[in-house]
Every structure is written in C-alpha cells, then in structure tokens.
Amino acid sequence: MKIVQQYWKKARPLTLREALEDCVVGKSERGKSFVYKKYYGYVMAVVLRYITAEMEAEEAVNESFVKAFRKIASFEMHADGEALEKTFRSWLARIAVNTSIDLLRTRKPTSFLEDTSDEEISSHMVMMTDRLGVEDIMKLLKRLPDIQRSIFNLFEIEGYSHEEIGTMLNIPESTSRTYLTRAKQRLRKLYIAEFSISHNIHS
C-alpha cells in the first residue's frame, strides 16, 4: 500500500505550493522543473520588456531562475492558493527585472546611460497626457533606447518610484524623470507615425 501511495504521489502533478516546498525542503529537480516550465513564458515576457536581443533575453531568464531557486527559502508562502500564485509571480518578476537591469548595465556600461545636462532636465519636465493602448506601447517599447525603455518599464509597469529607479541605475532621481519623459515623447511620435501609416494604407 505504501508503494502505491508513493507511486501516486510521484505520478500526480504537483501544485505550486508542493513544488515550492519541494525546492526548499526536498531540494529535488522535480520542484524546480515544475516552477521553471510553469513560469518560463511569464519570466521571458518580463525580460523582453527590457532586453530585445533573443540570446541575451534567454540568458537573463535562466539567470533569473537560478537566483530565484537560490533565494526561494526566503519567499513567504501565503496560505491562500490564489494569493500564493499572485505573490510568487510578483516575487519572480522582481527578480527578472533586477537581473535584466544588471545584465544591461554589465553589457553596456558606457552606452546604457546617456549624458543629461541640467538644461535638458529642466526642458523635459513636461508630463504626457496622451493615453496609448497597452498593446501598442508594448510593440513600440522595443524601438526605444535601452535607458528609456528600462525606466518606462520600471516606473509605469513595475511601479518603482523615481528614487528607487535612481538607486537601481545609479543615476539622480531628476535624470530618471527626464528619461521617462523622453520615453513618453518618443512613444508618442512613434505611435503617431504608425497610426498615420496604418491610416494611409486603409484609406
């Protein structure tokens, strides 16, 4: 009977909670494999908001999982199943974002950040009022410079403050605000250009 129970336990698909517990307590590859397969696409989607090159994105995704498995014992598992899923995805996304930013800074230490003068900072402190569609923004984001795309994602999508972004990227808070405005302005121009082309084709 015990053999049957053990077989059934192994054959039955894991739940997220069981997989996480297995990663922490059992430290077997089964739990890690479950988490990796279940969240690979999600982590890749997060990484691709920052890194457009396929090979670099793949590297960032794998590094994110390595870090996650290394830190998984520190993740606080919520008692509720839905809450556990939500908090784990958020926790994993934060690791993926930090990993992507670190990779960008390592690969492009001189070109990742542009020079920004005080005059430029003052002249760009105008907030955009245009509301672009989410799908349109995600497509156009890939055409932004790394620094603008990263700050836009960190602020508008991940919810970091400019102070937090400044600490992450080692730049002044005012510079983060400037690049966010530049990103929005460039997105606006790209959006208008795309809309005009689409309109002319279908008119």
Side-chain angles (χ1 to χ4, degrees):
M1 184 68 177
K2 185 179 292 185
I3 295 176
V4 173
Q5 290 176 338
Q6 290 177 344
Y7 173 79
W8 172 251
K9 187 176 181 181
K10 288 182 180 179
R12 180 176 58 81
L14 289 173
T15 63
L16 174 59
R17 187 181 305 280
E18 290 171 340
L20 294 177
E21 290 174 346
D22 187 67
C23 289
V24 176
V25 182
K27 295 183 179 180
S28 71
E29 293 303 314
R30 188 174 182 226
K32 291 181 180 180
S33 177
F34 174 91
V35 172
Y36 184 84
K37 291 177 181 178
K38 182 177 176 64
Y39 294 100
Y40 177 87
Y42 173 71
V43 173
M44 177 61 81
V46 172
V47 169
L48 286 174
R49 294 206 297 262
Y50 297 86
I51 302 173
T52 56
E54 185 176 346
M55 290 188 65
E56 289 189 356
E58 182 73 29
E59 180 181 343
V61 169
N62 289 328
E63 181 62 23
S64 296
F65 278 107
V66 169
K67 290 180 179 179
F69 292 137
R70 192 182 302 147
K71 302 176 181 178
I72 206 161
S74 66
F75 173 69
E76 187 175 348
M77 289 195 283
H78 201 284
D80 179 72
E82 289 186 12
L84 173 62
E85 171 80 20
K86 184 177 180 180
T87 54
F88 183 69
R89 284 168 69 93
S90 297
W91 182 77
L92 203 54
R94 185 172 288 258
I95 292 175
V97 168
N98 290 332
T99 301
S100 300
I101 294 297
D102 288 343
L103 183 60
L104 283 174
R105 289 179 61 82
T106 301
R107 294 294 176 83
K108 302 176 181 179
T110 56
S111 62
F112 180 59
L113 297 177
E114 307 163 10
D115 292 330
T116 307
S117 66
D118 292 336
E119 292 181 0
E120 286 180 313
I121 292 176
S122 299
S123 64
H124 283 86
M125 295 304 290
V126 180
M127 296 304 293
M128 289 278 294
T129 57
D130 301 64
R131 295 194 177 188
L132 307 180
V134 175
E135 290 185 4
D136 295 319
I137 289 177
M138 298 311 294
K139 290 178 182 178
L140 298 177
L141 274 175
K142 294 182 179 180
R143 295 165 62 180
L144 295 181
D146 288 339
I147 179 62
Q148 293 181 16
R149 182 176 65 253
S150 296
I151 290 178
F152 182 91
N153 280 314
L154 289 170
F155 186 86
E156 297 289 350
I157 299 178
E158 312 296 347
Y160 287 94
S161 67
H162 285 295
E163 181 180 2
E164 291 172 322
I165 295 172
T167 300
M168 291 174 68
L169 302 181
N170 194 28
I171 59 175
E173 182 179 336
S174 57
T175 303
S176 175
R177 293 180 184 277
T178 297
Y179 281 124
L180 177 62
T181 302
R182 287 183 180 179
K184 289 182 176 181
Q185 289 174 336
R186 185 166 297 196
L187 280 173
R188 179 186 182 185
K189 291 179 180 178
L190 290 170
Y191 181 81
I192 291 174
E194 289 288 330
F195 179 81
S196 298
I197 293 173
S198 177
H199 178 74
N200 291 334
I201 290 175
H202 293 93
S203 60

